[in-house]
Amino acid sequence: MTGKRTSLFLLLAALTVPALALLPPRLSLLGDETGVVHTEALGENSNFPIKPPNLPGRVWLLVQWQQSSGSVTIVEQSVEETAAREEAERQVRAALAELTEVGVLPAGQPDFEEGFAISRLYLRDQADLSSAGFWLVENRDQKECALSMALDLETGQALTFRLAGPHVFMDDLTPQEMGRRFLDRLGLESSPPGDCGEYSCDFHLPDCRSVLTATVSQRLMKFGLEMDREAVEKGGSYGVGISR
């Protein structure tokens, strides 16, 4: 009887070890099959694989995160370490300076003395595994002016921008002119403006499968990205080239 029990124990052990070895990958695969977005904390030494596409591809990743998050893997972390925060804030202020230089922001408006809340965001397209990083930014003191924007980690340039508050826009510029200035600094190809009104104007970005909407009103300036449903339905390899 003892010999039979020993043999049974050895058999169960032999079956259990490979089962345990195979279980975690299978569970991960099941999670992927359900379409669940994997969001996790990002360590400073994270080995999250980066395969950055060209700028249109990076814009496309950002748009998917905003409107179709189930198609991208998301890793995000608040920037708290001193050296990283200083570098991130330097890039944020450089991006604001660029927007001022090209005539999108009025000179000296505003200065954001209390600094910014900044997070690192890494996105990976589950279809082709292209991936890229971004800074997500908000100003800390939002009593008078509320700022939010997404910066491209590769170039430090603002890809989206929103500023609400008194006197935040250039009085003599139309939404079409503002949108053109915002896009020209990025070098993105755009079709002639589509729907344009007194307060907003749409720019189709065919290489990004996206639409940038420039909105300007008395207390709001916004450059937001949305998915171009028509371009997505047409298909094609938009924005998947790898940057060099």
Side-chain angles (χ1 to χ4, degrees):
M1 181 64 69
T2 301
K4 290 183 178 180
R5 288 180 178 177
T6 301
S7 299
L8 179 60
F9 175 79
L10 292 175
L11 176 61
L12 290 174
L15 293 173
T16 300
V17 172
L20 290 175
L22 292 173
L23 183 58
R26 179 56 188 161
L27 287 177
S28 177
L29 180 60
L30 286 172
D32 291 339
E33 289 172 350
T34 61
V36 175
V37 180
H38 303 289
T39 306
E40 56 189 274
L42 176 66
E44 288 294 329
N45 296 319
S46 172
N47 62 350
F48 185 85
I50 296 297
K51 178 183 160 188
N54 55 18
L55 182 57
R58 301 198 295 274
V59 170
W60 173 237
L61 277 168
L62 193 62
V63 169
Q64 288 184 92
W65 170 68
Q66 292 175 328
Q67 295 194 290
S68 180
S69 60
S71 60
V72 292
T73 301
I74 304 167
V75 180
E76 182 178 355
Q77 180 195 43
S78 176
V79 179
E80 301 296 344
E81 194 270 329
T82 302
R85 277 200 56 79
E86 290 177 351
E87 172 59 20
E89 184 150 332
R90 183 194 67 77
Q91 291 192 38
V92 170
R93 295 197 180 278
L96 291 173
E98 181 190 41
L99 291 174
T100 303
E101 289 170 7
V102 300
V104 171
L105 283 177
Q109 289 272 356
D111 53 16
F112 303 112
E113 292 183 358
E114 298 201 16
F116 307 94
I118 306 173
S119 297
R120 264 192 216 90
L121 174 70
Y122 287 108
L123 303 174
R124 181 171 61 200
D125 192 322
Q126 295 175 6
D128 62 14
L129 300 184
S130 62
S131 54
F134 307 88
W135 297 119
L136 301 181
V137 182
E138 293 183 347
N139 63 309
R140 293 190 180 279
D141 182 6
Q142 299 199 358
K143 293 178 182 178
E144 292 195 12
C145 287
L147 166 77
S148 62
M149 58 180 174
L151 303 187
D152 175 27
L153 207 59
E154 290 278 308
T155 63
Q157 293 179 303
L159 300 181
T160 66
F161 184 85
R162 184 184 186 279
L163 180 61
H167 309 299
V168 298
F169 63 96
M170 309 289 279
D171 293 321
D172 57 342
L173 293 179
T174 65
Q176 181 173 340
E177 292 170 320
M178 295 285 277
R180 176 52 56 203
R181 291 187 181 192
F182 189 86
L183 284 173
D184 282 350
R185 51 182 259 286
L186 296 173
L188 290 172
E189 179 184 349
S190 64
S191 61
D195 296 333
C196 285
E198 183 179 358
Y199 299 111
S200 68
C201 190
D202 291 342
F203 296 81
H204 289 260
L205 312 177
D207 289 342
C208 308
R209 300 192 222 181
S210 308
V211 177
L212 180 132
T213 300
T215 304
V216 180
S217 64
Q218 188 174 2
R219 295 179 60 88
L220 175 67
M221 175 191 299
K222 179 180 178 182
F223 302 94
L225 290 165
E226 294 185 0
M227 190 176 294
D228 188 335
R229 302 290 179 181
E230 183 177 348
V232 171
E233 289 174 2
K234 288 181 179 179
S237 55
Y238 294 93
V240 297
I242 304 303
S243 60
R244 301 298 180 186

